[in-house]
């Protein structure tokens, strides 16, 4: 497991984007530490998954297709992250990191659904909780077999 400086509590709430700009700032790093490279992208993807299934299974009148934007955001985030890893890791290390990401996503899903700190997107949305728990189980059962982006996305989006 590759180590690096990680945020430690990374989610969409820690990202600030200036309107009409490509500038991005990451905030709220009081839990930063040297740890697994897959940790932050794993927790970010888990947060995307919570919001994705919350919006897909409980659409609002204002934005009934918002979940599609979240799906695109997950795919783009993962694609850019894995592309950038090519500058630092060997192909085998990248495969191992993808497996680690799958494991972190699965663990984080359980931590936020059955743990003490609940995720807002799941409040009052039992169908979303059940779907996310199912994904968490699949990811944890298969994390060592998940070695590329498509396998990870299939585990998230295909029942």
């Amino acid at each position: 497991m590759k180590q690096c400086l990680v945020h430690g509590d990374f989610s969409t709430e820690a990202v600030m984007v200036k309107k009409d700009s490509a500038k991005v700032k990451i905030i709220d790093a009081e839990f930063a530490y040297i740890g697994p490279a897959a940790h932050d992208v794993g927790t970010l993807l888990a947060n995307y998954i919570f919001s994705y299934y919350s919006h897909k299974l409980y659409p609002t009148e204002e934005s009934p297709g918002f979940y599609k934007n979240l799906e695109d955001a997950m795919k783009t985030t993962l694609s850019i992250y894995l592309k950038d890893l090519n500058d630092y890791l060997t192909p085998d290390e990248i495969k191992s990191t993808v497996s680690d990401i799958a494991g972190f996503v699965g663990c984080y899903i359980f931590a936020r659904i059955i743990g003490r700190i609940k995720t807002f997107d799941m409040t009052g949305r039992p169908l979303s909780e059940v779907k996310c728990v199912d994904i968490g189980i699949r990811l944890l059962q298969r994390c060592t077999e998940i070695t590329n982006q498509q396998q990870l996305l299939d585990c998230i989006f295909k029942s």
Side-chain angles (χ1 to χ4, degrees):
M1 201 176 284
K2 281 295 189 179
Q3 303 282 305
C4 66
L5 178 64
V6 296
H7 184 276
D9 189 29
F10 197 56
S11 72
T12 55
E13 295 172 354
V15 180
M16 295 180 69
V17 180
K18 187 174 182 179
K19 188 175 182 176
D20 301 323
S21 171
K23 291 185 179 184
V24 175
K25 302 285 184 186
I26 307 298
I27 62 167
D28 201 21
E30 72 269 13
F31 296 111
Y33 68 101
I34 300 296
H39 181 270
D40 284 340
V41 74
T43 57
L44 179 62
L45 287 175
N47 279 288
Y48 276 140
I49 290 167
F50 294 142
S51 191
Y52 173 84
Y53 282 105
S54 177
H55 285 89
K56 184 174 183 176
L57 299 173
Y58 297 91
T60 62
E61 283 185 31
E62 305 86 53
S63 53
F66 182 67
Y67 71 94
K68 294 175 187 173
N69 296 350
L70 292 164
E71 181 176 345
D72 291 342
M74 280 188 266
K75 290 176 179 178
T76 300
T77 298
L78 194 55
S79 179
I80 291 170
Y81 180 79
L82 295 176
K83 180 180 173 276
D84 287 349
L85 286 183
N86 286 309
D87 294 338
Y88 305 101
L89 303 178
T90 68
D92 284 341
E93 289 172 327
I94 292 172
K95 288 177 182 178
S96 178
T97 300
V98 173
S99 293
D100 294 341
I101 291 169
F104 275 107
V105 173
C107 287
Y108 192 78
I109 285 172
F110 283 105
R112 293 304 296 262
I113 290 178
I114 63 173
R116 187 173 52 87
I117 300 172
K118 306 291 184 199
T119 182
F120 172 76
D121 288 315
M122 298 290 111
T123 304
R125 297 177 174 170
L127 296 176
S128 298
E129 276 191 2
V130 169
K131 185 64 177 173
C132 288
V133 166
D134 180 52
I135 292 166
I137 290 169
R138 274 200 316 269
L139 288 168
L140 290 173
Q141 288 175 333
R142 300 178 190 165
C143 66
T144 58
E145 302 162 13
I146 297 170
T147 59
N148 65 52
Q149 178 177 347
Q150 193 57 54
Q151 290 170 332
L152 180 55
L153 292 172
D154 287 348
C155 209
I156 292 168
F157 295 116
K158 294 184 179 175
S159 299

